[in-house]
């Protein structure tokens, strides 16, 4: 024991030298090999509240057969036995008593090759994890080794606590940086604090409501046509709220297959279904302490609506295959361009969920209702195109702006951005070819213009007719391709699954454009 105390300083030095606990664990294991019959040294991170435990460091190459039971699998009396063990703060030696053997059985899923020493790792508040020493095959620890283990618990506790704090900081920083880069890339902005275009004009009422609701944590429902900037407004709500330092996560409910909606939103436990090889945290858990933006909320299946309603009511969720509820603290912002009232009447959307989500609705105006913002938006997107495509400066002319104002923009701001991008590419550094860029969308424009010249309002086309014309134009330009860099979804700046759903709703057949492509190829 005296000899072991001599290397205690070295153990402390290694525990504090490396920021990552896995590195320090391997170094410390090498120091201990001359003093203990070690076959493996393991550090486990523990969260009894969430019923989660995992190996975060190993002194030797991991053994795939060495598995531990999750606290969610423990029986109440087993949990009580573990609590008493942690409160004592003393290591247990499996071979020393039947009680210790029972405790090790609770912890370990499979029979270890040798004797086992286990001890709790604590910080000033609670138990963080476990230090587990496993002897080599047919070897055993002694009471002297248990005394050595007691000395090891404190430096390993410090190392685990430091590792946890490091990963928390890294997770927050990565989430913040990824969120910031994503938004700046979409908007070609240098700072997230740049003024939203139209904040003092076409979006003035919207921004007033954004500032009001940002002070609270109530759910927000953003309504508006496709392409009006619902994600941008949701991010602004998050940025102005007290949760701005937490994560912001956006999920498109329409892009998740119905059979995976529960797993993606609420998470799943290891073994919950075929392919669930590890415990998976859903988007709600990942957004804990921040804001979760659920786009296309009208696409959420009925079963998902039921579980979402429970989370809104009390903040608790259950992972797929889980036995214990998990509490989350999430600000919910949802968006849709669908008529939820009509969906409620048709039994496709829960009325009680609607009342929970629509506490504070925000309606975004279409671009045709804020045409005074078009010049500023056009300049902004032209500057963005210059950066994205590495082209010389090319700003829209007065003739360009007049042309843009004369179009009805069924795809709203997203369509405007797409048209400017296409005009910049066609211009190839020699100005914006907007008239050519609007060509594929001209069918829709001509339809609207002809409607204005009609003698009765009955001739005015419906929104579905204009959207159908615009999608057909995109499919024609993309030669029937939906996905990919040159597909219709890319031209329209929407997710391919969203486009497919829209085509299905509007009875648009894309296969004819594929046939047209083959016909043109054969003629060539």
């Amino acid at each position: 024991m005296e000899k072991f105390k001599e290397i205690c300083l070295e153990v402390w030095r290694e525990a504090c030298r490396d920021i990552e606990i896995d590195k320090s664990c391997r170094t410390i294991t090498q120091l201990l090999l001359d003093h203990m019959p070690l076959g493996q040294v393991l550090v486990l991170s523990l969260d009894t509240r969430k019923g989660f435990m995992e190996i975060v460091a190993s002194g030797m190459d991991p053994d795939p057969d060495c598995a531990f039971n999750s606290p969610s699998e423990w029986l109440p009396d087993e949990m009580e036995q573990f609590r008493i063990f942690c409160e004592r703060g003393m290591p247990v030696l499996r071979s020393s008593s039947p009680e210790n053997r029972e405790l090790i059985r609770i912890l370990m899923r499979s029979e270890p090759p040798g004797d086992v020493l286990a001890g709790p790792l604590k910080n000033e508040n609670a138990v963080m994890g476990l230090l587990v020493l496993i002897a080599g095959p047919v070897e055993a620890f002694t009471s002297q080794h248990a005394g050595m283990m007691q000395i090891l618990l404190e430096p390993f506790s410090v190392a685990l606590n430091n590792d946890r704090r490091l990963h928390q900081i890294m997770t927050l920083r990565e989430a913040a940086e990824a969120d910031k880069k994503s938004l700046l890339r979409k908007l070609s902005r240098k700072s997230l604090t740049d003024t939203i275009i139209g904040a003092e004009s076409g979006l003035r009422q919207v921004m007033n409501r954004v500032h009001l609701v940002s002070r609270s944590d109530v759910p927000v429902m953003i309504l508006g046509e496709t392409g009006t900037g619902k994600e941008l407004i949701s991010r602004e709500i998050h940025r102005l709220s007290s949760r701005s330092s937490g994560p912001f996560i956006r999920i498109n409910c329409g892009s998740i297959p119905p059979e995976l909606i529960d797993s993606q939103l609420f998470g799943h436990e290891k073994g919950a279904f075929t392919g669930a090889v590890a415990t998976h945290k859903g988007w709600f858990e990942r957004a804990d302490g921040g804001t979760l933006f659920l786009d296309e909320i009208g696409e959420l299946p009925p079963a998902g609506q039921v579980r979402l309603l429970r989370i809104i009511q009390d903040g608790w969720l259950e992972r797929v295959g889980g036995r214990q509820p998990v509490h989350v603290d999430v600000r919910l912002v949802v968006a849709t361009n669908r008529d939820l009232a009509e969906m409620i009447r048709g039994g496709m959307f829960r009325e009680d969920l609607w009342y929970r989500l629509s506490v504070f609705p925000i309606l975004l105006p279409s671009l045709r209702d804020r045409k005074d913002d078009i010049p500023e938006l056009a300049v902004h997107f032209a500057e963005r195109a210059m950066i994205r495509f590495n082209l010389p400066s090319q700003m829209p002319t007065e003739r360009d702006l007049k042309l843009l104002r004369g179009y009805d923009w069924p795809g709203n701001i997203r369509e405007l951005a797409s048209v400017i991008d296409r005009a910049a590419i066609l211009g190839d550094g020699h100005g914006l070819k907007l008239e050519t860029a609007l060509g594929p969308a001209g069918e829709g424009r001509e339809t609207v213009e002809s409607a204005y010249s009609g003698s009765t309002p009955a001739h005015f086309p419906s929104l579905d007719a204009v959207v159908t014309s615009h999608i057909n134009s995109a499919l024609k330009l993309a030669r029937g391709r939906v996905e990919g860099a040159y597909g219709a979804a890319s031209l329209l700046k929407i997710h391919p699954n969203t486009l497919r759903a829209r085509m299905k709703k509007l009875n648009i057949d894309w296969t004819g454009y594929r046939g047209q492509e083959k016909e043109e190829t054969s003629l060539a």
Side-chain angles (χ1 to χ4, degrees), residues 39-40 42 55 58 60-68 110-113 134:
Q40 183 60 280
L42 298 171
I55 299 173
S58 58
M60 302 175 187
D61 291 336
D63 183 355
D65 295 328
C66 185
F68 291 81
S110 56
E111 183 70 17
I134 302 176

Side-chain angles (χ1 to χ4, degrees), residues 417-428:
S418 178
V419 167
I420 297 292
D421 283 350
R422 190 157 60 243
I425 295 172
L426 292 170
D428 196 23

Side-chain angles (χ1 to χ4, degrees), residues 110-128:
S110 56
E111 183 70 17
D115 204 3
V116 177
L117 266 170
L121 301 177
K122 301 180 178 181
N123 60 12
E124 62 277 7
N125 298 318
V127 175
M128 301 179 295

Side-chain angles (χ1 to χ4, degrees), residues 262-393:
D262 277 3
S263 173
Q264 292 296 310
L265 287 179
F266 315 117
H268 64 253
E269 295 289 348
K270 180 179 179 180
F273 50 83
T274 303
V277 296
T279 298
H280 167 74
K281 288 186 177 182
W283 293 114
F284 269 94
E285 285 187 80
R286 297 185 188 187
D288 194 20
T291 301
L292 182 63
F293 174 48
L294 297 180
D295 201 2
E296 305 283 4
I297 188 66
E299 305 292 336
L300 195 65
Q305 294 179 29
V306 173
R307 298 190 67 179
L308 177 59
L309 182 62
R310 180 188 173 187
I311 296 175
I312 297 173
Q313 288 172 337
D314 55 24
W316 290 90
L317 62 86
E318 286 186 8
R319 297 180 188 144
V320 178
R323 299 179 182 177
Q324 293 186 356
V326 178
H327 189 267
V328 291
D329 176 24
V330 175
R331 173 38 166 326
L332 202 60
V333 180
V334 302
T336 184
N337 57 9
R338 301 188 63 178
D339 187 346
L340 292 185
E342 182 63 30
M343 291 182 66
I344 291 172
R345 285 191 289 270
M348 294 181 291
F349 200 84
R350 293 182 64 93
E351 187 173 17
D352 48 0
L353 180 58
W354 158 260
Y355 289 128
R356 290 282 185 176
L357 293 176
S358 60
V359 175
F360 197 93
I362 296 178
L363 177 62
L364 297 189
S366 63
L367 185 55
R368 61 183 171 274
D369 293 328
R370 44 179 295 214
K371 288 196 173 183
D372 288 345
D373 293 333
I374 287 180
E376 190 177 357
L377 287 166
V379 169
H380 168 72
F381 289 127
E383 291 176 343
R384 186 182 77 165
M386 175 186 66
I387 296 171
R388 290 177 65 190
F389 308 131
N390 194 26
L391 295 170
S393 179

Side-chain angles (χ1 to χ4, degrees), residues 10-19 24 28 155 158-159 162:
E10 287 295 322
V11 171
W12 268 105
R13 184 179 291 115
E14 295 300 334
C16 299
R17 175 180 295 169
D18 290 308
I19 299 178
S24 59
I28 293 173
V158 171
N162 289 341

Side-chain angles (χ1 to χ4, degrees), residues 442-464:
E443 297 175 18
R445 181 180 60 199
E446 291 167 4
T447 302
V448 175
E449 289 174 349
S450 63
Y452 275 118
S453 61
S455 57
T456 63
H459 295 138
F460 195 88
S462 67
L463 178 61
D464 281 351

Side-chain angles (χ1 to χ4, degrees), residues 415-486:
E415 184 186 6
L416 174 61
S418 178
V419 167
I420 297 292
D421 283 350
R422 190 157 60 243
I425 295 172
L426 292 170
D428 196 23
H430 302 288
L432 297 172
K433 290 196 174 182
L434 278 168
E435 192 167 3
T436 306
L438 275 168
E443 297 175 18
R445 181 180 60 199
E446 291 167 4
T447 302
V448 175
E449 289 174 349
S450 63
Y452 275 118
S453 61
S455 57
T456 63
H459 295 138
F460 195 88
S462 67
L463 178 61
D464 281 351
V466 176
V467 173
T468 299
S469 175
H470 191 55
I471 292 176
N472 279 323
S473 298
L475 287 168
K476 182 178 180 181
L477 186 67
R479 297 181 181 273
R481 289 187 295 271
V482 175
E483 295 190 53
Y486 303 101

